[in-house]
Amino acid sequence: MGILLQTLINGIMLGSVYAMVALGLTLIYGILNVPNFVHGTLYMIGAYIAYFAIVSFGAPYWVGLIVSLIILFAIGILLERIVFRPFYDKPLINSFIVAVGLILVLENTALSLWGPEFRQFAAPSDKVIKVMGVMITAQRIIVIVTAAVLIWLVHLFIKKTRLGSAIEATSQNPDGALLMGINISHMRGITFGIGTALAAVAAVLVGPILLIYPAMGHTVIGMAFVIIIIGGMGSFIGAVLGGYIIGILETLVTSYITNFFTEAIIFGLLVLLLAVRPTGLFGKPH
Amino acid sequence: MLLEVRHLDCYYGQSQALKEINIEVEEGECICILGANGAGKSTLLKTIAGLMKPRRGEIWFTGKRMDELPAYTIVREGITLCPEDKKIFPQMSVYKNLCLGAWIHGRKEERIKANLEHVYELFPILKERSDQDAGTLSGGEQQMLVIGRSLMSNPRLLMLDEPSLGLAPMVVNSIFETIKEINARKTTVLLVEQNASMALKIATRGYVIESGRITMAGTAEELLKNEKVKKAYLGI
Ligand SMILES: Nc1ncnc2c1ncn2[C@@H]1O[C@H](COP(=O)(O)OP(=O)(O)O)[C@@H](O)[C@H]1O
Ligand SMILES: [Mg+2]
């Protein structure tokens, strides 16, 4: 019982990270119709920025998190403008090649600047809370709560604000949005910024629990793609629920079955689901 | 002159869709553009709305050059388009679709509310359906939504691309009644139709477009009497 509870909490924590990364990815996909392969690399950069803010400049944890959020928001806007915008009307392969190039450049820069070694920064609190015989570190609770709050805020932003409606309109019908007088390039930029900032925050939240290194984005981005395919490409609820489901599932499989084939099992589930529902759980049939 | 289109040439890749188009529209008119399928009617409206850029020629509106402006600024100048394929936001509510129509009004809540009242008055069904997703509306209701949404920006020139397409005769009648009413309230209308008999009933003047060229122009009466128009577009 104790172990199960511990596992579930770890699963929800991992799911929180997945949900945030996948949400960013799905928002960007929804409005740009481009699978953003650079997302995992930006997640890594978000972690390093917080690391330097916290460890090199001695900033408090929350300041590091906010600095990383703001910088990655700006990087997202710049990337959309400089790297992706010229390729919207071109075949997908163009932006794919650009993305692969960008990943290589960014990761090799990270590798040569900061080296391959694992890094970590301290959690804002090292308290451990005991619940029903289970020890839970404060950071796990911070991850879970912060992620839930941020996901809720993004939801409110999209559903309740003027700008949010314009973003939703742009992703549902870009030409329709243009006819309303909406500057769709701005909407794409803002969305890219928000999506990227979500990835950065996810990375900073797990920074004290997992390790920071140049290739840290690879498994996360792989999982995030699985999640948004399962949830339905472009679906908000699909990415969030999918994130939690996969996070919990992965943790359960690792602790109760095997930690060798976790990814294989999850990919197997994906294939199974797509055979039954080709558009994913919440995807819109075409 | 409210709208002036001069020597307009438009292409899709290599193939020319519009050739030397010249059109003039005075404030308050209701102009119809007749033409067979593929003649270039939608291309003309899309180009005026800024969704396509012409290769040659100019578009002037209230003395300002339009064809060089980015598409999203055209509606601010007072031109709106109800496109043939509607371009609604299917997973957003009817209410949100309408509010997006007033995007250029920013946070002028009073004005947006007044416009909303006006649209609900023209199309009471939209008020009933205001919380429903736009994608769940019937074809006729969607057409009403598109017209309603375009009125939310208080256009000086309202362009409609085949508003009768695929609708039942009863619905077509009421849509045309509404267009007539909108025009009577001082909004200039540029109407593209294959349903020539309906269009010429409410239009003041018209143009006929064939394979990308204007081949005829005249008052609605002249066009109604013209033998060629009778044969080709009125089925008489
Ligand atoms: N997206 C497109 N790509 C290539 N050719 C097009 C496209 N849209 C329209 N055309 C061509 O341009 C011409 C005019 O089309 P259109 O303006 O849609 O005619 P209409 O609205 O009068 O039916 C047609 O020959 C059509 O095949
Ligand atoms: Mg057409």
Side-chain angles (χ1 to χ4, degrees):
Chain A
M1 181 62 210
I3 294 175
L4 179 64
L5 189 61
Q6 182 79 63
T7 310
L8 276 180
I9 286 168
N10 285 342
I12 294 170
M13 189 211 70
L14 186 63
S16 304
V17 175
Y18 285 166
M20 291 181 85
V21 177
L23 178 58
L25 198 60
T26 215
L27 288 176
I28 293 170
Y29 180 81
I31 202 160
L32 277 83
N33 273 312
V34 175
N36 177 23
F37 295 102
V38 193
H39 204 59
T41 308
L42 297 170
Y43 168 89
M44 174 272 292
I45 292 177
Y48 272 100
I49 286 176
Y51 173 86
F52 289 117
I54 294 163
V55 176
S56 312
F57 292 93
Y61 176 81
W62 292 106
V63 173
L65 184 135
I66 287 168
V67 166
S68 171
L69 182 155
I70 292 171
I71 292 181
L72 268 287
F73 178 78
I75 290 180
I77 286 182
L78 279 178
L79 274 188
E80 188 277 333
R81 173 149 218 134
I82 299 166
V83 180
F84 287 92
R85 201 175 290 180
F87 297 102
Y88 288 148
D89 301 330
K90 309 269 160 28
L92 205 58
I93 186 77
N94 288 309
S95 60
F96 177 73
I97 292 169
V98 170
V100 171
L102 201 62
I103 292 170
L104 289 175
V105 169
L106 290 174
E107 290 193 1
N108 282 309
T109 309
L111 196 63
S112 59
L113 282 180
W114 307 321
E117 63 267 26
F118 297 118
R119 299 166 191 247
Q120 212 170 19
F121 43 80
S125 154
D126 49 13
K127 273 208 200 85
V128 177
I129 299 152
K130 208 169 160 194
V131 186
M132 303 201 309
V134 181
M135 314 286 273
I136 307 166
T137 59
Q139 187 62 20
R140 283 184 162 64
I141 294 168
I142 288 176
V143 173
I144 292 168
V145 174
T146 313
V149 168
L150 269 181
I151 289 168
W152 183 243
L153 285 178
V154 174
H155 171 79
L156 286 183
F157 168 70
I158 290 176
K159 293 294 173 190
K160 302 285 179 204
T161 69
R162 227 172 86 75
L163 195 55
S165 297
I167 287 174
E168 212 178 1
T170 305
S171 64
Q172 289 184 19
N173 195 323
D175 276 352
L178 272 179
L179 289 177
M180 304 299 104
I182 294 168
N183 184 340
I184 65 173
S185 302
H186 279 178
M187 299 308 144
R188 286 172 169 157
I190 292 168
T191 308
F192 211 104
I194 292 173
T196 308
L198 277 171
V201 172
V204 182
L205 284 175
V206 286
I209 297 168
L210 305 178
L211 297 166
I212 299 169
Y213 56 101
M216 67 184 277
H218 293 179
T219 45
V220 177
I221 187 68
M223 278 303 179
F225 269 110
V226 171
I227 289 161
I228 70 169
I229 294 168
I230 287 179
M233 300 289 277
S235 160
F236 188 111
I237 179 85
V240 173
L241 279 187
Y244 285 111
I245 292 171
I246 296 295
I248 292 168
L249 212 64
E250 183 182 328
T251 316
L252 285 175
V253 171
T254 320
S255 33
Y256 286 97
I257 305 175
T258 161
N259 54 11
F260 287 117
F261 303 116
T262 324
E263 269 117 17
I265 290 171
I266 300 217
F267 275 97
L269 282 173
L270 170 70
V271 172
L272 217 65
L273 178 91
L274 290 184
V276 186
R277 264 191 76 93
T279 54
L281 291 175
F282 298 92
K284 303 187 171 95
H286 295 294
Chain B
M1 196 66 57
L2 187 69
L3 175 77
E4 223 181 323
V5 175
R6 293 184 198 151
H7 312 295
L8 202 69
D9 284 348
C10 268
Y11 288 75
Y12 289 101
Q14 295 293 318
S15 84
Q16 189 166 6
L18 295 181
K19 296 161 195 160
E20 270 286 309
I21 298 278
N22 288 291
I23 280 181
E24 291 183 347
V25 181
E26 297 272 11
E27 183 105 53
E29 282 191 296
C30 179
I31 304 291
C32 85
I33 295 177
L34 304 177
N37 212 352
K41 307 180 297 296
S42 300
T43 307
L44 176 59
L45 295 198
K46 280 192 281 183
T47 309
I48 298 172
L51 291 180
M52 283 181 63
K53 292 293 159 202
R55 188 168 295 179
R56 279 180 293 274
E58 295 167 8
I59 298 165
W60 292 79
F61 185 71
T62 62
K64 256 176 133 176
R65 182 102 185 243
M66 293 289 115
D67 53 286
E68 288 165 337
L69 298 178
Y72 70 91
T73 58
I74 303 283
V75 56
R76 276 174 209 279
E77 303 294 334
I79 302 177
T80 58
L81 169 64
C82 299
E84 192 172 19
D85 55 358
K86 301 193 177 76
K87 302 195 193 296
I88 55 169
F89 308 113
Q91 285 104 38
M92 296 175 85
S93 68
V94 166
Y95 169 78
K96 275 194 173 178
N97 270 265
L98 289 174
C99 289
L100 283 160
W103 175 258
I104 60 163
H105 292 326
R107 294 182 195 283
K108 293 181 197 141
E109 307 291 344
E110 304 264 297
R111 178 142 198 204
I112 296 169
K113 224 175 129 198
N115 289 357
L116 202 58
E117 293 290 308
H118 174 218
V119 169
Y120 283 156
E121 201 182 298
L122 281 177
F123 304 112
I125 190 80
L126 293 183
K127 190 169 188 177
E128 268 171 54
R129 304 251 191 271
S130 62
D131 292 330
Q132 238 169 281
D133 276 1
T136 65
L137 300 182
S138 71
E141 290 163 356
Q142 286 191 10
Q143 191 59 60
M144 294 175 196
L145 175 60
V146 175
I147 298 174
R149 184 181 68 173
S150 70
L151 292 176
M152 293 293 292
S153 65
N154 304 83
R156 281 178 78 177
L157 174 66
L158 174 65
M159 301 193 291
L160 299 129
D161 196 347
E162 304 209 33
S164 70
L165 199 70
L167 302 184
M170 284 269 292
V171 187
V172 173
N173 275 327
S174 88
I175 297 257
F176 272 81
E177 278 305 311
T178 314
I179 296 171
K180 204 169 146 188
E181 200 180 320
I182 293 166
N183 182 235
R185 293 196 203 180
K186 303 270 179 292
T187 305
T188 309
V189 172
L190 184 55
L191 172 66
V192 154
E193 264 300 339
Q194 287 195 53
N195 191 338
S197 54
M198 285 299 277
L200 287 172
K201 255 184 231 161
I202 63 169
T204 49
R205 278 195 306 128
Y207 293 88
V208 173
I209 183 168
E210 287 174 86
S211 325
R213 274 182 208 285
I214 303 278
T215 53
M216 226 184 288
T219 64
E221 280 158 41
E222 285 166 359
L223 291 176
L224 274 169
K225 280 190 214 136
N226 184 290
E227 287 304 322
K228 222 175 128 194
V229 173
K230 274 190 190 169
K231 235 169 140 180
Y233 305 107
L234 297 167
I236 307 173

